[in-house]
Amino acid sequence: MELDKIEEKDLRMGKANQDVFSETLQALAETDRDIIAVTSDSRGSGKLVPFGEKYPNQIVEVGIAEQNLVGVAAGLASAGKKTFAVSPACFLSARALEQIKNDVCYSDNPVTLVGISAGVSYGALGTTHHSLHDYAVLRAINNIIIVAPADNFETEQAVRLAAETNKPVYMRYGKKAMPFLNEENKTFEFGKGRVLRDGDDLAIIATGETVYPAWLAAKKLEDEHGLKATVVSMHTIKPLDTDLIEKLATNGRPIVTVEEHMVHGGLGEACASYLFQKGFKNKFKIVGIPDEYTVTGSQVEIFNHYGISKDGLFKTCKELLETV
């Protein structure tokens, strides 16, 4: 499986979500002078060079100083600006955690924290550059919306919604070009999952760039075994769409969650916690990065190693169905 190569003729290939973020922010800034991008030496990797050239008075460069990045963004937001603080997800969510907790969330400043090259997008740069903890640490902080768009449509909608909301938002995405996963379901709302395929045999709940391999695995289940799986893009990790999760669990079908994150503290544990406390006993499997330092390789190689791939998820789903 290659994330940057389309495998299904029914899907249209789009751009990298980072490019869509930058283009959408430029479009918003054209009519809204309150849009401000704040970067920590991430103008290039965050695709913000065109933004800076077009709107030099609406971009702030703080250098490699993530704590200052978040503090400056929070100060601008408190003065009425719509700030997007852009930095690699691994550094933004670790180095600036205290500023996120106090200056943004506790102070209720509507900053959008944009984690670029998230998950294992930096691939061979290794564990120091992987962000596999961000859902876990940020889920534990009150008053923040956590979003991981799956495709270009969700990315554009998320950026536009973030600019309108008066709440703190954390948004993360990767570097690879992504296909449009459902041209018909053009609905997007923070806190509401997006159903991409329907089926009664199994439910796959995925987030971010893992939704595409989940979609491919569901297609393979149907093509080779006639098994129909519902596939959900759970783009918002917090607040979680518990109504949809409960609806998926009601017929007793097995549930598989998929994420580009440690298995601890992410989407899977959030879904399991909700369902267990509600008394559901569905067969359940969390697919993510296990409790170890990741192998070295490209994003695709790491996905394949840990079963976050079409064939890996197909195998996991089939084995879970055979235990029912």
Side-chain angles (χ1 to χ4, degrees):
M1 182 200 72
E2 291 285 350
L3 288 178
D4 51 1
K5 293 180 181 176
I6 193 164
E7 291 194 12
E8 288 296 329
K9 63 181 180 182
D10 296 334
L11 298 180
R12 179 169 57 97
M13 181 53 79
K15 306 173 182 176
N17 287 337
Q18 287 191 184
D19 291 314
V20 176
F21 159 74
S22 173
E23 292 167 6
T24 307
L25 201 64
Q26 285 184 67
L28 290 171
E30 190 166 340
T31 57
D32 189 344
R33 295 296 184 236
D34 284 334
I35 296 285
I36 304 288
V38 189
T39 78
S40 56
D41 197 31
S42 305
R43 190 179 305 212
S45 54
K47 308 293 183 184
L48 288 169
V49 172
F51 183 97
E53 291 173 348
K54 197 168 184 180
Y55 307 110
N57 295 325
Q58 290 173 252
I59 188 166
V60 178
E61 175 61 71
V62 302
I64 303 175
E66 284 75 15
Q67 295 95 330
N68 290 345
L69 169 82
V70 176
V72 168
L76 289 166
S78 71
K81 300 298 182 183
K82 300 172 184 177
T83 55
F84 289 75
V86 182
S87 184
C90 55
F91 305 133
L92 177 62
S93 59
R95 293 175 179 169
L97 188 59
E98 181 176 347
Q99 285 73 26
I100 293 173
K101 184 184 79 170
N102 294 330
D103 298 350
V104 176
C105 297
Y106 180 59
S107 302
D108 199 20
N109 282 314
V111 175
T112 299
L113 304 152
V114 182
I116 61 174
S117 303
V120 293
S121 291
Y122 278 128
L125 291 181
T127 294
T128 56
H129 285 63
H130 295 165
S131 60
L132 300 173
H133 61 281
D134 46 351
Y135 296 158
V137 296
L138 295 176
R139 277 185 62 220
I141 294 176
N142 182 40
N143 192 31
I144 188 168
I145 298 166
I146 303 172
V147 183
D151 63 9
N152 291 180
F153 164 72
E154 291 184 3
T155 300
E156 179 180 350
Q157 295 300 307
V159 175
R160 291 185 180 279
L161 272 180
E164 294 173 1
T165 188
N166 60 356
K167 305 297 291 183
V169 176
Y170 173 69
M171 187 185 310
R172 61 117 96 172
Y173 41 69
K175 300 164 66 177
K176 293 282 191 182
M178 302 303 297
F180 287 87
L181 291 167
N182 190 321
E183 301 282 16
E184 296 178 359
N185 184 355
K186 293 286 190 182
T187 59
F188 186 91
E189 181 181 348
F190 288 156
K192 294 294 180 186
R194 182 171 166 232
V195 177
L196 304 177
R197 292 177 68 97
D198 261 325
D200 292 330
D201 294 313
L202 178 84
I204 308 175
I205 304 171
T207 191
E209 296 189 359
T210 68
V211 179
Y212 178 41
W215 191 98
L216 292 172
K219 178 78 162 38
K220 186 173 181 178
L221 283 169
E222 184 170 1
D223 291 345
E224 296 188 8
H225 297 283
L227 297 167
K228 294 191 175 181
T230 291
V231 178
V232 172
S233 170
M234 194 61 77
H235 48 70
T236 308
I237 307 294
K238 185 181 181 181
L240 198 60
D241 189 350
T242 53
D243 289 342
L244 178 56
I245 292 170
E246 193 164 334
K247 182 181 175 184
L248 294 172
T250 297
N251 81 344
R253 79 188 103 191
I255 295 174
V256 175
T257 65
V258 194
E259 57 199 303
E260 190 180 0
H261 185 273
M262 188 73 69
V263 293
H264 299 313
L267 170 69
E269 283 199 348
C271 293
S273 173
Y274 177 79
L275 291 172
F276 189 73
Q277 292 183 77
K278 282 288 183 176
F280 288 96
K281 298 178 180 178
N282 302 57
K283 293 287 184 181
F284 194 92
K285 177 69 177 176
I286 298 174
V287 179
I289 306 297
D291 191 10
E292 65 182 42
Y293 293 115
T294 53
V295 298
T296 299
S298 68
Q299 182 192 37
V300 170
E301 289 169 335
I302 295 172
F303 271 22
N304 288 337
H305 180 83
Y306 292 113
I308 309 172
S309 61
K310 176 180 71 175
D311 292 337
L313 293 171
F314 170 83
K315 182 172 181 284
T316 296
C317 292
K318 195 164 176 295
E319 288 175 350
L320 197 62
L321 283 163
E322 288 170 353
T323 65
V324 176

